[in-house]
Amino acid sequence: MCSIGFARSLGFALLPLAVCCIVANILLFFPGGEIQYVQQERMSRLIWFMMGIGGGGVLMFLPAGVFISLGKCTGCCWNESFMVRTDALMCGSVMAALVGLAGSGYCFIISAMAMLEGPQCFTALGWSYPFANEGGRLKDTWSKCLQPVSIVEWNVTLMSILLGLSGLEFIICVLQVINGLVTAVCRPCCYKQDYTLNA
């Protein structure tokens, strides 16, 4: 398996996931496509943590860019200079993957917390977090939210999307960490074997 080519494919896979995270997070600010609630600061407090925009979105462009910039795999174990350059690139990609793990983990954790807390909405008792007050029993208190219209469905759908996307991003970054570490361990052995055959 070409480790560099595999890393590039992981980078290309991260790009649409990051864009979708940004879009999902932005949509959370406009329930039902209305802007009045964000103007009135009636949004759920955890949405302002920008988990999809920052953690699962913009921050993921760093590992994606590093993975893609590794270059096409043109062969393995050419010579010592190629091996050193490849090891340096893979080491950099592992560091970028660790940044990606932090970003996707942040997005996943904040999204899960926001899902458990539920949205801020207008109830018979005024603006509150009815789901947090009911111990997170979302289904039992579904009808308590009067405004924004369909805010529960809106939040549950978008938070679920963020959870899924950030989970995929986390897995991709873990794969690159493994890929980089395996390359760092196996490349010297590969070079030594190639050097012996050519001697």
Side-chain angles (χ1 to χ4, degrees):
M1 178 179 64
C2 174
S3 58
I4 294 179
F6 181 64
R8 280 174 55 85
S9 66
L10 294 179
F12 284 117
L14 278 179
L15 288 177
L17 296 177
V19 171
C20 289
C21 276
I22 292 173
V23 172
N25 199 155
I26 291 174
L27 289 175
L28 282 170
F29 286 101
F30 308 103
E34 300 181 25
I35 63 172
Q36 60 181 355
Y37 301 107
V38 70
Q39 292 174 338
Q40 299 169 1
E41 297 185 2
R42 295 296 185 182
M43 308 305 303
S44 301
R45 52 182 165 257
L46 289 174
I47 293 177
W48 295 101
F49 281 70
M50 306 288 185
M51 61 283 192
I53 295 175
V58 174
L59 196 60
M60 298 308 297
F61 288 128
L62 172 63
V66 171
F67 299 169
I68 292 171
S69 67
L70 288 176
K72 293 182 179 179
C73 181
T74 54
C76 297
C77 311
W78 283 0
N79 52 43
E80 186 174 1
S81 63
F82 177 80
M83 184 187 75
V84 171
R85 183 174 64 88
T86 301
D87 286 346
L89 290 173
M90 292 305 289
C91 180
S93 73
V94 169
M95 297 302 293
L98 293 177
V99 173
L101 287 175
S104 58
Y106 173 79
C107 183
F108 188 90
I109 291 170
I110 300 298
S111 297
M113 291 172 61
M115 177 84 85
L116 291 174
E117 183 181 65
Q120 180 182 195
C121 62
F122 185 77
T123 67
L125 301 175
W127 288 94
S128 64
Y129 291 86
F131 308 107
N133 298 335
E134 293 291 331
R137 294 194 298 273
L138 190 66
K139 192 173 182 179
D140 297 341
T141 54
W142 195 283
S143 60
K144 286 188 177 182
C145 282
L146 305 177
Q147 291 182 8
V149 178
S150 302
I151 183 61
V152 179
E153 296 94 324
W154 187 267
N155 265 40
V156 168
T157 300
L158 293 174
M159 290 298 179
S160 298
I161 290 172
L162 284 174
L163 285 169
L165 292 175
S166 59
L168 288 174
E169 290 173 341
F170 192 89
I171 292 171
I172 288 173
C173 289
V174 167
L175 288 175
Q176 179 51 27
V177 169
I178 296 171
N179 181 38
L181 293 177
V182 168
T183 300
V185 171
C186 295
R187 184 80 58 184
C189 299
C190 178
Y191 172 70
K192 183 178 180 181
Q193 181 181 9
D194 182 70
Y195 179 80
T196 303
L197 292 174
N198 293 330

